[in-house]
Amino acid sequence: MSHITQSAVHCINPDCQRPYPQPWGNKFCNSCGAPLQLLNRYVPIQPLGSGGFAQIYTVWDEKTQTEKVLKVLVENSPKALDLFRQEASVLSSLRHPGVPRVDPDGYFLLNLSNPKPLQLPCLVMEKINGQTLEEILKNYPQGCPEEMVFNWCTQAVQILQELHKRQILHRDIKPSNLMLRNSSSSLPAIWQGSAGNQLVLIDFGGAKQFSDAKVRSQSSSTRLFSSGYSPPEQVIGGHVGPSADFYALGRTMIELLTGKYPPDLEDPQTGLLQWRNRVNVNPKFADLLDDMVQEDVRSRPLNANIIQRRLAKISQVSPYQGLSVFIQNILHQASARLTLLMQGVEQALGKFIHVVGKTTLLILKAIAKFLLACTITIWAMILTGTGAVLGTIIGFFLAYRTILGDRVAQAIFSQLPGLFSENDTVLVAEVLVFAGAGLGTAWGLTVAGGFSQRRRFIVASLMGAIGYSFGWLVLQLAIPRNSNEGLVISIVFAVFLLTLSLGLRSHRIVYAVIASLGTALLFAGAIRLDILPTVFQFSSTPQWYELLMPAVFFACEGILMSFWLGVSYYLIVPGLRWMGWR
């Protein structure tokens, strides 16, 4: 894996000016800004070339820690997109060692914005390590050995049998689309055959679904073919069936036997392949290949089962060998089913472990966040309640144990003539108790921090004193004066103004509304149930014991305000953001 983790990354944006190299670990391309980690999983490493309308890359799968192949459609025509989707659909539905494996989420769209908005269809599939038969043929200019070609033909027919059973035509069989896995493959050895490795059919870009009814109707089909290999009905755009794949396979096997491109073997007069005089092969095998490449569809083998039976007879020398072939076929099928079962169990187990691990991690993170939120909120409630009590005591001392109370009363008398009588000095001095409680509450909440506030001590303290003083004035205007019913409105004004001054970084109005209404509604419920005693009822010469009820009231008000700020910060505001409200 070390050679992968030390590699550079390749940008797959077809319009990127400098796609390579990109530093490993980058999330986005330094040149065009395109994503470099696709689906947060696949990292493009290097281009493998192009095929049809697609660019092909090697990618590193961070999830499975393996190399895979990525096909990126760079042609934007509707037909190319349709064929690309068709290939993805076909490969996703197949689970056979002779076909590249594609996971259910292997097909996806990558959105790009630079230099222009673009959607790139992408398909990730299993990487087949090995050579194509076209590459192998270069080592045999006079043609490959018959035993090798016979083995490849047998394996190819087995693959076609699986495809045709699922009503799928490949439509592009040729030497470059048949690969041999390296012998280091993890597949069972029985799948690799006696004369070579496991054969794999690749490039399903031209694959399509078919039905027997459509084949009989002879309706038209998309004109898609490979010159030299495709049958006449496919070349002219007629409807094709399974025999089209047999025709292309037969021509491919003849090329592998002779080393000659099929059109070079055609008779100029009849168009038939003149190849049997160029190579010494089993006559029965040659007859089968000639039947597969007949111009007339009706003269070719009807299905893959017929070809398999003829191949079995060709390889049959004695009854014992026939039994051996029969047993081998059974073992082939059993091994294939076992391989698929093991792959399914492994994939299911891996997904289960991944889901369980991810779920457990999410739960632990959620518990940790919940405990942290509770700790921060409780700490704020403790400091706010403590600050409110201390502020109330200081305000009471200033109001009734110093001359400041009388002077404040005189100032209010002069500014609000007629609202209070000269005998209400004790009552008016009460505003200092409220101001002190507001200042202490603001100071305690600011010291506690939390809720992403900017901790503006002076501003919060001043606004706390002013807001609570304004709440006292509202309480005096209530009818009857200083009644508990007036406390609800007083709390709303006081808490709302204090919350706005805390320097919260966003959603200040939301925090202020929830904190003020939540606090006020709980006191309103206590009043409604008639369980809240009269809070403010100082005598003409207030004593310290009379401070108990106001101190408890302001402490509860501060504690509830901190509680509702915590609820807003950790639950309500994140919920609003999740719903899209900014």
Side-chain angles (χ1 to χ4, degrees):
M1 189 178 73
S2 60
H3 76 284
I4 295 298
T5 56
Q6 295 173 2
S7 297
V9 182
H10 201 291
C11 177
I12 65 171
N13 183 356
D15 297 320
C16 183
Q17 298 298 317
R18 187 177 176 272
Y20 184 88
Q22 302 290 331
W24 184 273
N26 267 22
K27 295 286 186 180
F28 301 94
C29 174
N30 288 336
S31 177
C32 67
L36 294 179
Q37 290 190 2
L38 314 180
L39 299 184
N40 288 322
R41 174 177 177 180
Y42 304 110
V43 182
I45 302 171
Q46 62 182 3
L48 291 177
S50 58
F53 302 123
Q55 183 70 37
I56 305 173
Y57 300 86
T58 298
V59 295
W60 177 253
D61 187 345
E62 296 277 15
K63 179 179 179 181
T64 62
Q65 295 292 294
T66 57
E67 285 186 350
K68 292 186 177 179
V69 171
L70 168 69
K71 291 185 70 174
V72 181
L73 183 65
V74 294
E75 170 66 39
N76 58 5
S77 68
K79 187 58 190 176
L81 179 59
D82 185 58
L83 291 174
F84 195 82
R85 287 173 177 165
Q86 193 167 263
E87 179 180 10
S89 175
V90 168
L91 290 177
S92 298
S93 68
L94 292 174
R95 291 293 182 269
H96 189 277
V99 176
R101 184 183 179 89
V102 171
D103 293 332
D105 59 349
Y107 175 77
F108 57 92
L109 297 176
L110 180 67
N111 293 312
L112 303 177
S113 58
N114 186 25
K116 60 183 179 181
L118 180 65
Q119 269 195 337
L120 283 183
C122 299
L123 177 62
V124 177
M125 66 184 72
E126 174 191 8
K127 183 180 181 182
I128 310 298
N129 293 310
Q131 291 181 300
T132 66
L133 297 190
E134 183 181 55
E135 293 169 338
I136 294 174
L137 184 58
K138 294 177 182 178
N139 298 324
Y140 299 91
Q142 304 303 317
C144 300
E146 178 184 358
E147 182 184 8
M148 293 173 60
V149 177
F150 185 87
N151 177 267
W152 297 338
C153 184
T154 302
Q155 293 191 61
V157 171
Q158 291 174 354
I159 297 171
L160 289 180
Q161 185 180 35
E162 179 68 19
L163 294 180
H164 295 170
K165 182 172 68 178
R166 296 172 178 267
Q167 306 291 304
I168 297 171
L169 297 177
H170 186 274
R171 296 200 302 171
D172 197 20
I173 297 176
K174 53 188 176 184
S176 60
N177 284 341
L178 290 166
M179 288 189 70
L180 290 181
R181 293 182 189 268
N182 287 338
S183 56
S184 60
S185 169
S186 60
L187 289 172
I190 193 169
W191 271 103
Q192 299 179 9
S194 60
N197 298 336
Q198 163 66 35
L199 190 74
V200 181
L201 182 58
I202 63 173
D203 195 356
F204 282 70
K208 67 170 295 185
Q209 297 285 137
F210 74 94
S211 66
D212 293 334
K214 287 185 178 180
V215 172
R216 288 192 294 269
S217 69
Q218 297 297 315
S219 60
S220 62
S221 179
T222 305
R223 192 169 181 268
L224 182 95
F225 64 94
S226 289
S227 179
Y229 303 98
S230 299
E233 69 269 18
Q234 186 174 340
V235 173
I236 65 175
H239 201 86
V240 297
S243 62
D245 283 344
F246 302 149
Y247 182 96
L249 178 61
R251 285 206 155 204
T252 297
M253 294 300 113
I254 290 173
E255 180 179 4
L256 295 172
L257 286 170
T258 62
K260 299 291 183 181
Y261 181 54
D264 296 340
L265 300 172
E266 291 177 357
D267 185 287
Q269 302 298 325
T270 63
L272 300 177
L273 297 184
Q274 303 295 329
W275 68 278
R276 300 180 67 149
N277 58 340
R278 293 174 176 268
V279 62
N280 185 22
V281 298
N282 186 316
K284 292 184 178 180
F285 185 37
D287 291 340
L288 173 60
L289 295 179
D290 279 337
D291 290 343
M292 291 169 66
V293 299
Q294 289 294 316
E295 297 279 328
D296 188 352
V297 176
R298 294 168 295 182
S299 299
R300 301 174 203 156
L302 186 61
N303 54 54
N305 291 332
I306 294 175
I307 300 177
Q308 271 196 323
R309 286 196 294 268
R310 291 180 64 174
L311 289 170
K313 288 181 180 179
I314 294 170
S315 63
Q316 195 174 43
V317 176
S318 67
Y320 299 103
Q321 283 188 335
L323 179 61
S324 175
V325 171
F326 176 73
I327 294 174
Q328 189 180 33
N329 287 336
I330 293 178
L331 291 176
H332 279 178
Q333 296 178 5
S335 177
R337 293 179 183 273
L338 180 62
T339 301
L340 294 177
L341 177 61
M342 292 302 295
Q343 289 176 346
V345 170
E346 183 181 357
Q347 184 179 11
L349 184 61
K351 286 184 177 179
F352 175 75
I353 294 175
H354 177 71
V355 170
V356 170
K358 192 172 182 180
T359 303
T360 303
L361 183 61
L362 289 175
I363 291 175
L364 291 176
K365 285 183 178 180
I367 292 174
K369 288 182 178 180
F370 174 76
L371 293 176
L372 180 61
C374 290
T375 302
I376 293 174
T377 303
I378 292 173
W379 178 242
M381 292 167 66
I382 293 173
L383 290 185
T384 305
T386 303
V389 171
L390 293 176
T392 303
I393 294 173
I394 293 172
F396 183 86
F397 176 80
L398 294 175
Y400 302 116
R401 296 295 183 269
T402 68
I403 63 172
L404 185 62
D406 292 335
R407 293 188 176 182
V408 169
Q410 292 301 323
I412 292 178
F413 291 152
S414 63
Q415 295 298 322
L416 299 173
L419 183 61
F420 301 100
S421 66
E422 293 294 334
N423 296 326
D424 286 339
T425 301
V426 171
L427 174 64
V428 176
E430 189 181 68
V431 68
L432 290 176
V433 179
F434 276 76
L439 188 148
T441 301
W443 188 265
L445 188 57
T446 308
V447 170
F451 316 131
S452 295
Q453 59 173 301
R454 293 187 176 90
R455 306 186 75 175
R456 301 187 299 188
F457 287 94
I458 297 177
V459 174
S461 299
L462 289 175
M463 188 57 73
I466 294 172
Y468 273 59
S469 298
F470 190 75
W472 169 83
L473 182 59
V474 171
L475 183 61
Q476 305 313 309
L477 297 177
I479 300 175
R481 178 179 293 177
N482 257 349
S483 64
N484 282 344
E485 286 75 6
L487 283 177
V488 176
I489 302 176
S490 172
I491 291 170
V492 170
F493 279 102
V495 174
F496 186 87
L497 293 175
L498 174 55
T499 305
L500 285 179
S501 70
L502 291 177
L504 301 173
R505 298 184 183 277
S506 65
H507 300 84
R508 298 178 184 83
I509 298 297
V510 175
Y511 289 119
V513 169
I514 293 174
S516 58
L517 292 181
T519 303
L521 286 176
L522 288 176
F523 278 101
I527 294 171
R528 183 74 176 177
L529 296 175
D530 200 21
I531 60 176
L532 184 69
T534 302
V535 177
F536 297 99
Q537 195 172 14
F538 293 121
S539 62
S540 58
T541 57
Q543 303 300 314
W544 284 104
Y545 68 85
E546 298 179 48
L547 187 60
L548 177 62
M549 285 305 301
V552 172
F553 167 76
F554 285 123
C556 291
E557 184 176 357
I559 290 171
L560 289 174
M561 177 170 57
S562 297
F563 170 78
W564 285 111
L565 282 174
V567 171
S568 303
Y569 182 78
Y570 293 108
L571 293 176
I572 297 176
V573 171
L576 293 174
R577 285 174 173 159
W578 180 77
M579 290 187 293
W581 188 66
R582 293 293 180 269

